[in-house]
Amino acid sequence: MSETITIGVNHITRVEGHGNIKVDVQNGEVKECKLEIVEAPRFFEAMLEGRHYSEAAIITSRICGICSVGHQLASVRATEDAFGIELTKQNHQLKTLLDMGQYFESHVLHVYFLAVPDFVGAPSVFPLVATHKDVVLSALKLKKLGHDIGEMIGGRLVHPISMIPGGFTHMPTVKKLEEILNRIQDAKEELKNGVKLVSSLTLPDFERETEYISMYRDGEYAFIDGNIFSSDRGEISYKDYRKVTNEYLVPHSTAKRAKFSRHSYMVGALARFNNNYKYLSDDAKQAAEDLGLKPKYYNPYMNTVAQLVELIHIVDNSTEIINDMLAKGIKNEKPVIPELKECAGVGAVEVPRGILFHEYTYDKNGFITKANCIIPTAQNLQNIEDDMNDMVPDSIKKRTKEELTLDLEMLVRAYDPCISCSCHLLDVEFVNE
Amino acid sequence: MSKPKVAFFDFTSCEGCQLSILNLETELLELLDIVDIVEFREAMSEKSDTFDIAVIEGSYSRDSDLGRLKEIRETAGVVVALGACAHIGGLNALRNSQQREDLLKKVYPDHPDWYETNEKALPISAAIKVDAVVPGCPVDVKEFVHVVKNLVLGKDPGLPTYPVCVECKLNENICVYELGKTCLGPVVRAGCNAVCTSNGGVCIGCRGLIPNPNLNSQKDIMQKYGLDIQRIIDSVNLFMTENAREVQ
Ligand code: SF4
Ligand code: SF4
Ligand code: SF4
């Protein structure tokens, strides 16, 4: 590779969002690696001011289509936290199932449609229809399952309808639950093939230890309820999320960044895997072993692999929930109507890309006076940039410009960023020359 | 004859409409029988310089996007606005009641000057001529396929001109007005199979108004049920900030 180069990857494709990678190398020395976020600002926190509690989840859902379930969950949990509404067991189960539906959709999309093409050297999933038809069909089937779980619980998966603060306006039928249960069993077989496929691929060999942050709840692989856990500092109350996120701005990004104990931290599947490994189902642990993934794993490219492991766990977890619901019978619980008062609350949930926080302050009539949303991708941005800065000086000596461009694109994609949340993505630009 | 080329573009949006299209299954294959998808950033790295149908998601909220929009308009024979953001400004337009400077100060208090945004978030038709729309937040994917098929055949997009109430009644729902709630179903364009009211919700108007909506009759319904007119103005506001003025 030449002594003085500039890589510029503009609008990294296959990531939901608009972002650019900039690498500036002068005389063999890396001057700068940047991840620029060039998405139009959307102003959700400002739009929420003055809106009624019943609208908060409808509005925040539109922050990001692929994370819409997650935003609704965090939003509803924050409102419930503010008004002191406790989750009934069934409400907890329905929310978890809805979250699982989203994990299915999102992880399958990422592993099969966005990441696998890189590993088999295809520009997108479309050419795979000719070369790997079985894989594509399997992926479509799995994605559809996620979609149908979401539809069963929420009415639709992109911007669900029936989850409101205090409960659900619509209950799944026994027939539907049974049908989904059967399909989940089939999905497990499909996923085992996925494990075989992915274990045959070679991922870039790069490691950098960082701080891993996820949710934590004693006894379970936490999704919608629990505290925060840092691999550096242990458990922290979800109410204290601001102590963890410490948001700040950088000039080259419309997305805010976060840091806690170190210069940056990582959230998402790998962070959850590292922090909550012991609570994975036995088959998920087995899949991890087959894929060569052990806690603590420091290779960010393995985030994609951790997602596949989570899919197996989710199959087992949702089977358990549905069996329990079928055994106990579905109660027609009406949503709790909150008693309005001046109050504030925090919602913390694990969504496919990592831990997500919403916080609202309400006036005595149930209208929002202040809102804050902290998105997983924003929390990861600095960590991605730190990975790039760690990787490039060494790679630049060994890899061609083309190879390095792909390494960087794949690195960003491994984090599964949905930049539309934090603001869109990618273009690698090698500045200079 | 070669198949028409379709390209997808996104501006200020949540990308939920494009995502919904990725969720097409059998219909996606049907669609690929009649068109070629040449650009779709969310799913492919390939890019194309030529296309016949441009499908645009998102609102127009930055001057710097105008150049790209104009280029798309010049290249494409047909421009389709995909989803509420592109069609009517959508939820993005909720910000339009606040001043640009205030918004920037609220969300980026330390550096309001670092970020570019227009005074308002507007439908795509505010920047370039739009030939067809697929309404909804998100769009109904079956309707999307239906519209594309019609366009390929050179026909009218074929959107329903009747209100959501018609579909809602066919689904045998109890009208939410009987339950003391408000609903925009009487004045909002059908085509979503009344998905919200059929799942225990109310229509919040994401598909925009029907042609010649009788807004007074909507007010009459509200009054008949003794409901607060402010609540309906607020809910019209959610997706149709610009139309909300007519209601007031
Ligand atoms: S119309 Fe709705 S679903 Fe579609 S991009 Fe806009 S906010 Fe997202
Ligand atoms: S619930 Fe809404 S859409 Fe359904 S009939 Fe009543 S007003 Fe119309
Ligand atoms: S019922 Fe109303 S709010 Fe719901 S999808 Fe249809 S038009 Fe949109």
PDB file of all heavy atoms in Angstrom, chain A residues 14-15 17-18 38 42 46 51 62 65 105 123 143 147 169 256 424, chain B residues 10 13-15 23 41 45 62 92 98 107-108 115 137 199 234:
ATOM      1  N   ARG A  14     -25.673  -1.186   3.023  1.00  0.00           N
ATOM      2  CA  ARG A  14     -26.100  -2.316   3.829  1.00  0.00           C
ATOM      3  C   ARG A  14     -26.061  -2.022   5.321  1.00  0.00           C
ATOM      4  O   ARG A  14     -25.779  -2.864   6.131  1.00  0.00           O
ATOM      5  CB  ARG A  14     -25.281  -3.564   3.505  1.00  0.00           C
ATOM      6  CG  ARG A  14     -25.809  -4.266   2.285  1.00  0.00           C
ATOM      7  CD  ARG A  14     -25.089  -5.547   2.039  1.00  0.00           C
ATOM      8  NE  ARG A  14     -23.836  -5.327   1.348  1.00  0.00           N
ATOM      9  CZ  ARG A  14     -22.772  -6.074   1.521  1.00  0.00           C
ATOM     10  NH1 ARG A  14     -22.761  -7.034   2.400  1.00  0.00           N
ATOM     11  NH2 ARG A  14     -21.702  -5.841   0.813  1.00  0.00           N
ATOM     12  N   VAL A  15     -26.218  -0.818   5.705  1.00  0.00           N
ATOM     13  CA  VAL A  15     -26.375  -0.465   7.102  1.00  0.00           C
ATOM     14  C   VAL A  15     -27.515   0.524   7.082  1.00  0.00           C
ATOM     15  O   VAL A  15     -27.576   1.352   6.179  1.00  0.00           O
ATOM     16  CB  VAL A  15     -25.126   0.222   7.648  1.00  0.00           C
ATOM     17  CG1 VAL A  15     -25.321   0.565   9.103  1.00  0.00           C
ATOM     18  CG2 VAL A  15     -23.917  -0.648   7.477  1.00  0.00           C
ATOM     19  N   GLY A  17     -28.687   3.628   7.663  1.00  0.00           N
ATOM     20  CA  GLY A  17     -28.241   4.929   8.118  1.00  0.00           C
ATOM     21  C   GLY A  17     -27.227   5.526   7.165  1.00  0.00           C
ATOM     22  O   GLY A  17     -26.805   4.893   6.216  1.00  0.00           O
ATOM     23  N   HIS A  18     -26.840   6.759   7.409  1.00  0.00           N
ATOM     24  CA  HIS A  18     -25.893   7.435   6.535  1.00  0.00           C
ATOM     25  C   HIS A  18     -24.620   7.758   7.290  1.00  0.00           C
ATOM     26  O   HIS A  18     -24.625   8.561   8.201  1.00  0.00           O
ATOM     27  CB  HIS A  18     -26.486   8.744   6.028  1.00  0.00           C
ATOM     28  CG  HIS A  18     -27.661   8.541   5.137  1.00  0.00           C
ATOM     29  ND1 HIS A  18     -28.516   9.544   4.814  1.00  0.00           N
ATOM     30  CD2 HIS A  18     -28.122   7.452   4.513  1.00  0.00           C
ATOM     31  CE1 HIS A  18     -29.459   9.073   4.014  1.00  0.00           C
ATOM     32  NE2 HIS A  18     -29.242   7.808   3.831  1.00  0.00           N
ATOM     33  N   VAL A  38     -23.650  11.627   8.857  1.00  0.00           N
ATOM     34  CA  VAL A  38     -24.093  12.777   8.089  1.00  0.00           C
ATOM     35  C   VAL A  38     -25.611  12.828   7.939  1.00  0.00           C
ATOM     36  O   VAL A  38     -26.140  13.474   7.070  1.00  0.00           O
ATOM     37  CB  VAL A  38     -23.446  12.778   6.688  1.00  0.00           C
ATOM     38  CG1 VAL A  38     -21.955  12.981   6.823  1.00  0.00           C
ATOM     39  CG2 VAL A  38     -23.726  11.458   5.964  1.00  0.00           C
ATOM     40  N   ARG A  42     -33.117  14.991  13.558  1.00  0.00           N
ATOM     41  CA  ARG A  42     -34.568  14.753  13.562  1.00  0.00           C
ATOM     42  C   ARG A  42     -35.290  15.402  14.741  1.00  0.00           C
ATOM     43  O   ARG A  42     -36.490  15.525  14.736  1.00  0.00           O
ATOM     44  CB  ARG A  42     -34.865  13.240  13.557  1.00  0.00           C
ATOM     45  CG  ARG A  42     -34.037  12.450  12.590  1.00  0.00           C
ATOM     46  CD  ARG A  42     -34.741  11.949  11.372  1.00  0.00           C
ATOM     47  NE  ARG A  42     -36.116  11.557  11.500  1.00  0.00           N
ATOM     48  CZ  ARG A  42     -36.539  10.323  11.693  1.00  0.00           C
ATOM     49  NH1 ARG A  42     -35.687   9.349  11.856  1.00  0.00           N
ATOM     50  NH2 ARG A  42     -37.819  10.060  11.748  1.00  0.00           N
ATOM     51  N   ALA A  46     -37.107  17.198  21.210  1.00  0.00           N
ATOM     52  CA  ALA A  46     -37.852  18.461  21.196  1.00  0.00           C
ATOM     53  C   ALA A  46     -39.300  18.234  20.764  1.00  0.00           C
ATOM     54  O   ALA A  46     -40.216  18.875  21.283  1.00  0.00           O
ATOM     55  CB  ALA A  46     -37.165  19.461  20.272  1.00  0.00           C
ATOM     56  N   ARG A  51     -46.255  16.681  24.455  1.00  0.00           N
ATOM     57  CA  ARG A  51     -47.119  15.608  23.967  1.00  0.00           C
ATOM     58  C   ARG A  51     -47.632  14.774  25.136  1.00  0.00           C
ATOM     59  O   ARG A  51     -46.995  14.653  26.184  1.00  0.00           O
ATOM     60  CB  ARG A  51     -46.385  14.695  22.981  1.00  0.00           C
ATOM     61  CG  ARG A  51     -45.769  15.370  21.797  1.00  0.00           C
ATOM     62  CD  ARG A  51     -46.692  16.212  20.954  1.00  0.00           C
ATOM     63  NE  ARG A  51     -47.845  15.526  20.399  1.00  0.00           N
ATOM     64  CZ  ARG A  51     -48.624  16.028  19.430  1.00  0.00           C
ATOM     65  NH1 ARG A  51     -48.347  17.217  18.903  1.00  0.00           N
ATOM     66  NH2 ARG A  51     -49.668  15.361  19.002  1.00  0.00           N
ATOM     67  N   ARG A  62     -40.919   6.097  15.675  1.00  0.00           N
ATOM     68  CA  ARG A  62     -40.474   6.586  14.361  1.00  0.00           C
ATOM     69  C   ARG A  62     -39.031   7.099  14.363  1.00  0.00           C
ATOM     70  O   ARG A  62     -38.560   7.646  13.371  1.00  0.00           O
ATOM     71  CB  ARG A  62     -41.420   7.672  13.846  1.00  0.00           C
ATOM     72  CG  ARG A  62     -42.627   7.119  13.075  1.00  0.00           C
ATOM     73  CD  ARG A  62     -43.656   6.496  13.958  1.00  0.00           C
ATOM     74  NE  ARG A  62     -44.754   5.875  13.203  1.00  0.00           N
ATOM     75  CZ  ARG A  62     -45.772   5.250  13.782  1.00  0.00           C
ATOM     76  NH1 ARG A  62     -45.857   5.152  15.101  1.00  0.00           N
ATOM     77  NH2 ARG A  62     -46.720   4.702  13.045  1.00  0.00           N
ATOM     78  N   GLY A  65     -37.097   2.570  12.131  1.00  0.00           N
ATOM     79  CA  GLY A  65     -38.001   1.479  11.752  1.00  0.00           C
ATOM     80  C   GLY A  65     -37.554   0.139  12.292  1.00  0.00           C
ATOM     81  O   GLY A  65     -38.339  -0.611  12.872  1.00  0.00           O
ATOM     82  N   GLU A 105     -36.155 -10.758  13.646  1.00  0.00           N
ATOM     83  CA  GLU A 105     -36.144  -9.974  12.420  1.00  0.00           C
ATOM     84  C   GLU A 105     -34.791  -9.297  12.219  1.00  0.00           C
ATOM     85  O   GLU A 105     -34.157  -9.389  11.181  1.00  0.00           O
ATOM     86  CB  GLU A 105     -37.254  -8.919  12.547  1.00  0.00           C
ATOM     87  CG  GLU A 105     -37.082  -7.699  11.705  1.00  0.00           C
ATOM     88  CD  GLU A 105     -37.798  -7.849  10.388  1.00  0.00           C
ATOM     89  OE1 GLU A 105     -38.837  -8.500  10.397  1.00  0.00           O
ATOM     90  OE2 GLU A 105     -37.303  -7.307   9.394  1.00  0.00           O
ATOM     91  N   PRO A 123     -21.556  -8.669  -3.237  1.00  0.00           N
ATOM     92  CA  PRO A 123     -21.888  -7.285  -2.939  1.00  0.00           C
ATOM     93  C   PRO A 123     -23.223  -7.118  -2.206  1.00  0.00           C
ATOM     94  O   PRO A 123     -23.478  -6.080  -1.603  1.00  0.00           O
ATOM     95  CB  PRO A 123     -21.929  -6.611  -4.306  1.00  0.00           C
ATOM     96  CG  PRO A 123     -22.181  -7.707  -5.277  1.00  0.00           C
ATOM     97  CD  PRO A 123     -21.611  -8.953  -4.682  1.00  0.00           C
ATOM     98  N   LYS A 143     -36.802 -14.712   9.072  1.00  0.00           N
ATOM     99  CA  LYS A 143     -37.204 -13.318   9.221  1.00  0.00           C
ATOM    100  C   LYS A 143     -38.716 -13.204   9.332  1.00  0.00           C
ATOM    101  O   LYS A 143     -39.251 -12.460  10.138  1.00  0.00           O
ATOM    102  CB  LYS A 143     -36.728 -12.532   7.992  1.00  0.00           C
ATOM    103  CG  LYS A 143     -35.905 -11.316   8.349  1.00  0.00           C
ATOM    104  CD  LYS A 143     -35.211 -10.734   7.139  1.00  0.00           C
ATOM    105  CE  LYS A 143     -36.165 -10.040   6.184  1.00  0.00           C
ATOM    106  NZ  LYS A 143     -36.918  -8.947   6.759  1.00  0.00           N
ATOM    107  N   HIS A 147     -41.219 -11.539  12.111  1.00  0.00           N
ATOM    108  CA  HIS A 147     -42.281 -10.649  11.687  1.00  0.00           C
ATOM    109  C   HIS A 147     -43.631 -11.084  12.233  1.00  0.00           C
ATOM    110  O   HIS A 147     -44.404 -10.286  12.764  1.00  0.00           O
ATOM    111  CB  HIS A 147     -42.313 -10.677  10.167  1.00  0.00           C
ATOM    112  CG  HIS A 147     -42.901  -9.473   9.597  1.00  0.00           C
ATOM    113  ND1 HIS A 147     -42.197  -8.305   9.508  1.00  0.00           N
ATOM    114  CD2 HIS A 147     -44.128  -9.232   9.129  1.00  0.00           C
ATOM    115  CE1 HIS A 147     -42.977  -7.398   8.991  1.00  0.00           C
ATOM    116  NE2 HIS A 147     -44.156  -7.927   8.751  1.00  0.00           N
ATOM    117  N   THR A 169     -53.585  -3.715  24.133  1.00  0.00           N
ATOM    118  CA  THR A 169     -54.984  -3.522  23.733  1.00  0.00           C
ATOM    119  C   THR A 169     -55.520  -4.728  22.970  1.00  0.00           C
ATOM    120  O   THR A 169     -56.660  -4.728  22.525  1.00  0.00           O
ATOM    121  CB  THR A 169     -55.121  -2.300  22.800  1.00  0.00           C
ATOM    122  OG1 THR A 169     -54.301  -2.524  21.641  1.00  0.00           O
ATOM    123  CG2 THR A 169     -54.695  -1.017  23.483  1.00  0.00           C
ATOM    124  N   LYS A 256     -24.864  11.795  19.008  1.00  0.00           N
ATOM    125  CA  LYS A 256     -24.089  12.033  20.223  1.00  0.00           C
ATOM    126  C   LYS A 256     -23.293  10.781  20.571  1.00  0.00           C
ATOM    127  O   LYS A 256     -23.647   9.680  20.191  1.00  0.00           O
ATOM    128  CB  LYS A 256     -25.039  12.379  21.363  1.00  0.00           C
ATOM    129  CG  LYS A 256     -25.732  13.707  21.131  1.00  0.00           C
ATOM    130  CD  LYS A 256     -26.725  14.003  22.229  1.00  0.00           C
ATOM    131  CE  LYS A 256     -27.474  15.277  21.878  1.00  0.00           C
ATOM    132  NZ  LYS A 256     -28.551  15.580  22.801  1.00  0.00           N
ATOM    133  N   HIS A 424     -27.563   8.152   9.931  1.00  0.00           N
ATOM    134  CA  HIS A 424     -27.511   7.270   8.774  1.00  0.00           C
ATOM    135  C   HIS A 424     -26.080   6.853   8.380  1.00  0.00           C
ATOM    136  O   HIS A 424     -25.141   7.552   8.624  1.00  0.00           O
ATOM    137  CB  HIS A 424     -28.072   7.996   7.573  1.00  0.00           C
ATOM    138  CG  HIS A 424     -29.502   7.770   7.345  1.00  0.00           C
ATOM    139  ND1 HIS A 424     -29.979   7.426   6.146  1.00  0.00           N
ATOM    140  CD2 HIS A 424     -30.527   7.813   8.177  1.00  0.00           C
ATOM    141  CE1 HIS A 424     -31.265   7.297   6.228  1.00  0.00           C
ATOM    142  NE2 HIS A 424     -31.633   7.515   7.451  1.00  0.00           N
TER     143      HIS A 424
ATOM    144  N   ASP B  10     -33.368   7.411   0.285  1.00  0.00           N
ATOM    145  CA  ASP B  10     -33.986   7.867   1.528  1.00  0.00           C
ATOM    146  C   ASP B  10     -33.408   9.184   1.984  1.00  0.00           C
ATOM    147  O   ASP B  10     -32.221   9.448   1.817  1.00  0.00           O
ATOM    148  CB  ASP B  10     -33.854   6.815   2.625  1.00  0.00           C
ATOM    149  CG  ASP B  10     -32.445   6.297   2.772  1.00  0.00           C
ATOM    150  OD1 ASP B  10     -31.643   6.978   3.420  1.00  0.00           O
ATOM    151  OD2 ASP B  10     -32.159   5.216   2.226  1.00  0.00           O
ATOM    152  N   SER B  13     -35.802  10.160   7.468  1.00  0.00           N
ATOM    153  CA  SER B  13     -36.791   9.107   7.696  1.00  0.00           C
ATOM    154  C   SER B  13     -36.308   8.146   8.757  1.00  0.00           C
ATOM    155  O   SER B  13     -35.184   8.243   9.231  1.00  0.00           O
ATOM    156  CB  SER B  13     -37.010   8.323   6.412  1.00  0.00           C
ATOM    157  OG  SER B  13     -35.890   7.479   6.186  1.00  0.00           O
ATOM    158  N   CYS B  14     -37.153   7.193   9.095  1.00  0.00           N
ATOM    159  CA  CYS B  14     -36.746   6.140  10.036  1.00  0.00           C
ATOM    160  C   CYS B  14     -36.401   4.879   9.279  1.00  0.00           C
ATOM    161  O   CYS B  14     -36.014   3.876   9.873  1.00  0.00           O
ATOM    162  CB  CYS B  14     -37.849   5.860  11.044  1.00  0.00           C
ATOM    163  SG  CYS B  14     -39.065   4.656  10.497  1.00  0.00           S
ATOM    164  N   GLU B  15     -36.560   4.871   7.956  1.00  0.00           N
ATOM    165  CA  GLU B  15     -36.271   3.737   7.086  1.00  0.00           C
ATOM    166  C   GLU B  15     -37.201   2.558   7.335  1.00  0.00           C
ATOM    167  O   GLU B  15     -36.949   1.442   6.878  1.00  0.00           O
ATOM    168  CB  GLU B  15     -34.801   3.322   7.218  1.00  0.00           C
ATOM    169  CG  GLU B  15     -33.914   4.531   6.985  1.00  0.00           C
ATOM    170  CD  GLU B  15     -32.451   4.198   6.786  1.00  0.00           C
ATOM    171  OE1 GLU B  15     -32.118   3.027   6.628  1.00  0.00           O
ATOM    172  OE2 GLU B  15     -31.667   5.146   6.772  1.00  0.00           O
ATOM    173  N   ASN B  23     -39.339  -6.860   3.903  1.00  0.00           N
ATOM    174  CA  ASN B  23     -40.106  -7.940   4.511  1.00  0.00           C
ATOM    175  C   ASN B  23     -41.045  -8.635   3.544  1.00  0.00           C
ATOM    176  O   ASN B  23     -41.704  -9.594   3.908  1.00  0.00           O
ATOM    177  CB  ASN B  23     -40.946  -7.419   5.683  1.00  0.00           C
ATOM    178  CG  ASN B  23     -40.085  -7.162   6.888  1.00  0.00           C
ATOM    179  OD1 ASN B  23     -39.030  -7.758   7.033  1.00  0.00           O
ATOM    180  ND2 ASN B  23     -40.527  -6.270   7.739  1.00  0.00           N
ATOM    181  N   ARG B  41     -29.961   0.966  -0.828  1.00  0.00           N
ATOM    182  CA  ARG B  41     -28.816   1.039   0.068  1.00  0.00           C
ATOM    183  C   ARG B  41     -28.939   0.137   1.290  1.00  0.00           C
ATOM    184  O   ARG B  41     -27.958  -0.366   1.823  1.00  0.00           O
ATOM    185  CB  ARG B  41     -28.590   2.488   0.505  1.00  0.00           C
ATOM    186  CG  ARG B  41     -27.259   2.743   1.185  1.00  0.00           C
ATOM    187  CD  ARG B  41     -27.164   4.166   1.646  1.00  0.00           C
ATOM    188  NE  ARG B  41     -28.395   4.590   2.265  1.00  0.00           N
ATOM    189  CZ  ARG B  41     -28.747   4.254   3.496  1.00  0.00           C
ATOM    190  NH1 ARG B  41     -27.951   3.539   4.236  1.00  0.00           N
ATOM    191  NH2 ARG B  41     -29.897   4.643   3.989  1.00  0.00           N
ATOM    192  N   SER B  45     -24.840  -3.116  -1.982  1.00  0.00           N
ATOM    193  CA  SER B  45     -23.775  -2.127  -2.150  1.00  0.00           C
ATOM    194  C   SER B  45     -23.809  -1.517  -3.539  1.00  0.00           C
ATOM    195  O   SER B  45     -23.232  -0.468  -3.775  1.00  0.00           O
ATOM    196  CB  SER B  45     -22.398  -2.765  -1.974  1.00  0.00           C
ATOM    197  OG  SER B  45     -22.378  -3.596  -0.859  1.00  0.00           O
ATOM    198  N   ARG B  62     -33.272  19.328   4.597  1.00  0.00           N
ATOM    199  CA  ARG B  62     -31.968  19.998   4.512  1.00  0.00           C
ATOM    200  C   ARG B  62     -31.757  20.525   3.103  1.00  0.00           C
ATOM    201  O   ARG B  62     -31.904  19.766   2.137  1.00  0.00           O
ATOM    202  CB  ARG B  62     -30.827  19.008   4.800  1.00  0.00           C
ATOM    203  CG  ARG B  62     -30.640  18.709   6.253  1.00  0.00           C
ATOM    204  CD  ARG B  62     -29.375  17.927   6.462  1.00  0.00           C
ATOM    205  NE  ARG B  62     -29.365  16.671   5.704  1.00  0.00           N
ATOM    206  CZ  ARG B  62     -28.499  15.688   5.929  1.00  0.00           C
ATOM    207  NH1 ARG B  62     -27.569  15.827   6.848  1.00  0.00           N
ATOM    208  NH2 ARG B  62     -28.539  14.576   5.222  1.00  0.00           N
ATOM    209  N   ASN B  92     -42.030  13.654  11.113  1.00  0.00           N
ATOM    210  CA  ASN B  92     -40.943  14.646  11.136  1.00  0.00           C
ATOM    211  C   ASN B  92     -41.474  16.059  11.249  1.00  0.00           C
ATOM    212  O   ASN B  92     -40.840  16.930  11.841  1.00  0.00           O
ATOM    213  CB  ASN B  92     -40.120  14.570   9.851  1.00  0.00           C
ATOM    214  CG  ASN B  92     -39.302  13.305   9.774  1.00  0.00           C
ATOM    215  OD1 ASN B  92     -38.741  12.876  10.771  1.00  0.00           O
ATOM    216  ND2 ASN B  92     -39.250  12.711   8.601  1.00  0.00           N
ATOM    217  N   GLN B  98     -42.067  24.446  16.044  1.00  0.00           N
ATOM    218  CA  GLN B  98     -41.014  25.106  16.823  1.00  0.00           C
ATOM    219  C   GLN B  98     -40.006  25.762  15.880  1.00  0.00           C
ATOM    220  O   GLN B  98     -39.812  25.327  14.762  1.00  0.00           O
ATOM    221  CB  GLN B  98     -40.294  24.084  17.715  1.00  0.00           C
ATOM    222  CG  GLN B  98     -41.232  23.386  18.694  1.00  0.00           C
ATOM    223  CD  GLN B  98     -40.488  22.428  19.619  1.00  0.00           C
ATOM    224  OE1 GLN B  98     -39.434  22.734  20.152  1.00  0.00           O
ATOM    225  NE2 GLN B  98     -41.057  21.247  19.821  1.00  0.00           N
ATOM    226  N   VAL B 107     -31.664  20.274  21.368  1.00  0.00           N
ATOM    227  CA  VAL B 107     -31.108  18.936  21.158  1.00  0.00           C
ATOM    228  C   VAL B 107     -29.573  18.934  21.145  1.00  0.00           C
ATOM    229  O   VAL B 107     -28.945  17.987  21.598  1.00  0.00           O
ATOM    230  CB  VAL B 107     -31.699  18.286  19.893  1.00  0.00           C
ATOM    231  CG1 VAL B 107     -31.100  16.914  19.639  1.00  0.00           C
ATOM    232  CG2 VAL B 107     -33.215  18.154  20.049  1.00  0.00           C
ATOM    233  N   TYR B 108     -28.978  20.010  20.658  1.00  0.00           N
ATOM    234  CA  TYR B 108     -27.503  20.094  20.662  1.00  0.00           C
ATOM    235  C   TYR B 108     -27.081  21.356  21.409  1.00  0.00           C
ATOM    236  O   TYR B 108     -26.516  22.283  20.817  1.00  0.00           O
ATOM    237  CB  TYR B 108     -26.962  20.137  19.224  1.00  0.00           C
ATOM    238  CG  TYR B 108     -27.422  18.991  18.357  1.00  0.00           C
ATOM    239  CD1 TYR B 108     -28.358  19.175  17.352  1.00  0.00           C
ATOM    240  CD2 TYR B 108     -26.902  17.704  18.550  1.00  0.00           C
ATOM    241  CE1 TYR B 108     -28.776  18.111  16.548  1.00  0.00           C
ATOM    242  CE2 TYR B 108     -27.311  16.638  17.754  1.00  0.00           C
ATOM    243  CZ  TYR B 108     -28.243  16.851  16.757  1.00  0.00           C
ATOM    244  OH  TYR B 108     -28.648  15.811  15.968  1.00  0.00           O
ATOM    245  N   TYR B 115     -24.876  21.817  13.121  1.00  0.00           N
ATOM    246  CA  TYR B 115     -25.779  20.940  12.378  1.00  0.00           C
ATOM    247  C   TYR B 115     -26.662  21.700  11.409  1.00  0.00           C
ATOM    248  O   TYR B 115     -27.095  22.817  11.696  1.00  0.00           O
ATOM    249  CB  TYR B 115     -26.619  20.122  13.357  1.00  0.00           C
ATOM    250  CG  TYR B 115     -25.724  19.399  14.324  1.00  0.00           C
ATOM    251  CD1 TYR B 115     -25.468  19.917  15.595  1.00  0.00           C
ATOM    252  CD2 TYR B 115     -25.061  18.250  13.926  1.00  0.00           C
ATOM    253  CE1 TYR B 115     -24.582  19.284  16.453  1.00  0.00           C
ATOM    254  CE2 TYR B 115     -24.177  17.609  14.771  1.00  0.00           C
ATOM    255  CZ  TYR B 115     -23.933  18.126  16.044  1.00  0.00           C
ATOM    256  OH  TYR B 115     -23.062  17.500  16.865  1.00  0.00           O
ATOM    257  N   CYS B 137     -47.528   4.966   7.482  1.00  0.00           N
ATOM    258  CA  CYS B 137     -46.354   4.997   8.355  1.00  0.00           C
ATOM    259  C   CYS B 137     -46.405   3.783   9.255  1.00  0.00           C
ATOM    260  O   CYS B 137     -46.985   3.856  10.316  1.00  0.00           O
ATOM    261  CB  CYS B 137     -46.322   6.276   9.188  1.00  0.00           C
ATOM    262  SG  CYS B 137     -44.942   6.353  10.335  1.00  0.00           S
ATOM    263  N   ASN B 199     -56.561  -3.684  15.875  1.00  0.00           N
ATOM    264  CA  ASN B 199     -55.675  -4.195  16.917  1.00  0.00           C
ATOM    265  C   ASN B 199     -55.837  -3.434  18.226  1.00  0.00           C
ATOM    266  O   ASN B 199     -54.898  -3.301  19.003  1.00  0.00           O
ATOM    267  CB  ASN B 199     -54.219  -4.155  16.453  1.00  0.00           C
ATOM    268  CG  ASN B 199     -53.888  -5.324  15.553  1.00  0.00           C
ATOM    269  OD1 ASN B 199     -53.719  -6.452  16.025  1.00  0.00           O
ATOM    270  ND2 ASN B 199     -53.838  -5.072  14.255  1.00  0.00           N
ATOM    271  N   ASP B 234     -54.729  17.594  18.228  1.00  0.00           N
ATOM    272  CA  ASP B 234     -53.422  17.024  18.577  1.00  0.00           C
ATOM    273  C   ASP B 234     -53.135  15.775  17.762  1.00  0.00           C
ATOM    274  O   ASP B 234     -52.012  15.563  17.312  1.00  0.00           O
ATOM    275  CB  ASP B 234     -53.366  16.659  20.065  1.00  0.00           C
ATOM    276  CG  ASP B 234     -53.105  17.881  20.932  1.00  0.00           C
ATOM    277  OD1 ASP B 234     -52.802  18.953  20.365  1.00  0.00           O
ATOM    278  OD2 ASP B 234     -53.211  17.754  22.167  1.00  0.00           O
TER     279      ASP B 234
END
